[in-house]
Amino acid sequence: DVKVTQSSRYLVKRTGEKVFLECVQDMDHENMFWYRQDPGLGLRLIYFSYDVKMKEKGDIPEGYSVSREKKERFSLILESASTNQTSMYLCASRTTGVEKLFFGSGTQLSVL
Amino acid sequence: DAKTTQPPSMDCAEGRAANLPCNHSTISGNEYVYWYRQIHSQGPQYIIHGLKNNETNEMASLIITEDRKSSTLILPHATLRDTAVYYCIVRVGGNAGNMLTFGGGTRLMVKP
């Protein structure tokens, strides 16, 4: 069965901390995505990557960066966490040519 | 991408068919209709997609009107586990861009 694994289900961090969210997929997908989901706002795309070392900004990239050193791993980095980054973070992947996204279970991040 | 309109919520009795409508009156000829669902506290899950013809898989059926301005997702025998938010998304398929935009969706409540 296909799998997208996010490293943590729940995470609590302090304001100003550097935060790493890790995502690994086992399907050899070229494309990987980071979304955040907030009540009333739906899913919003932060960053995506269509190949190793390639990245593109989504709708809300401010305050975030990403890293894709290996095809199977896509990391989201909060350089200096702020309270308005408290959210559910969802990683997804897909192969090129079909818009069928596979999502991880999500990381609920709380920044205090 | 074409905008979609879905009712915010629907109820369905367990064992009965759930019919979830979606309007996409500005859909273009090369845009596909995708359906995803999100069960509480999980990442979204792909259900089905189609272009013109009706489609069926092990999860659901997708009926697209002849003018393609609306579609209906059918869960033939809804169970309590089908309680979720269902998202209808219209998007150009293939390699044209990398982003699926999730709107508000329909919250389906399956009741015993």
Side-chain angles (χ1 to χ4, degrees), chain B residues 8-93:
Chain B
S9 65
M10 290 181 63
D11 289 344
C12 177
E14 188 179 18
R16 305 297 291 267
N19 297 289
L20 293 97
C22 180
N23 285 321
H24 31 79
S25 58
T26 59
I27 192 170
S28 303
N30 61 347
E31 287 183 311
Y32 287 74
V33 180
Y34 291 83
W35 283 85
Y36 283 75
R37 74 178 183 184
Q38 188 172 20
I39 294 169
H40 182 63
S41 296
Q42 296 182 22
Q45 176 190 23
Y46 166 86
I47 301 172
I48 199 167
H49 75 281
L51 182 63
K52 292 183 195 175
N53 301 321
N54 299 336
E55 302 287 345
T56 295
N57 63 20
E58 66 278 4
M59 289 182 70
S61 295
L62 174 61
I63 308 297
I64 303 174
T65 58
E66 196 167 337
D67 63 7
R68 302 209 324 120
K69 293 186 177 182
S70 66
S71 60
T72 301
L73 179 76
I74 301 171
L75 308 178
H77 305 287
T79 71
L80 299 179
R81 283 194 298 266
D82 292 320
T83 292
V85 177
Y86 287 77
Y87 297 97
C88 169
I89 303 161
V90 175
R91 187 78 175 87
V92 175

Side-chain angles (χ1 to χ4, degrees), chain A residues 23-76:
Chain A
C23 175
V24 177
Q25 50 97 1
D26 64 0
M27 296 163 282
D28 202 36
H29 286 168
E30 299 82 10
N31 305 280
M32 296 188 73
F33 307 81
W34 276 106
Y35 289 87
R36 64 177 280 178
Q37 185 172 30
D38 302 287
L41 295 176
L43 275 82
R44 293 180 291 168
L45 183 66
I46 305 171
Y47 266 98
F48 64 96
S49 168
Y50 52 88
D51 202 351
V52 175
K53 297 193 187 296
M54 305 304 290
K55 61 184 179 185
E56 294 284 344
K57 293 179 180 178
D59 298 321
I60 50 164
E62 296 79 20
Y64 303 94
S65 62
V66 290
S67 172
R68 188 136 181 234
E69 296 296 318
K70 293 185 177 180
K71 190 175 186 179
E72 68 271 17
R73 187 179 297 269
F74 192 35
S75 303
L76 181 70

Side-chain angles (χ1 to χ4, degrees), chain A residues 84-98:
Chain A
N84 63 12
Q85 292 179 310
T86 291
S87 185
M88 169 69 81
Y89 289 88
L90 289 157
C91 175
S93 74
R94 71 171 179 88
T95 192
T96 298
V98 179

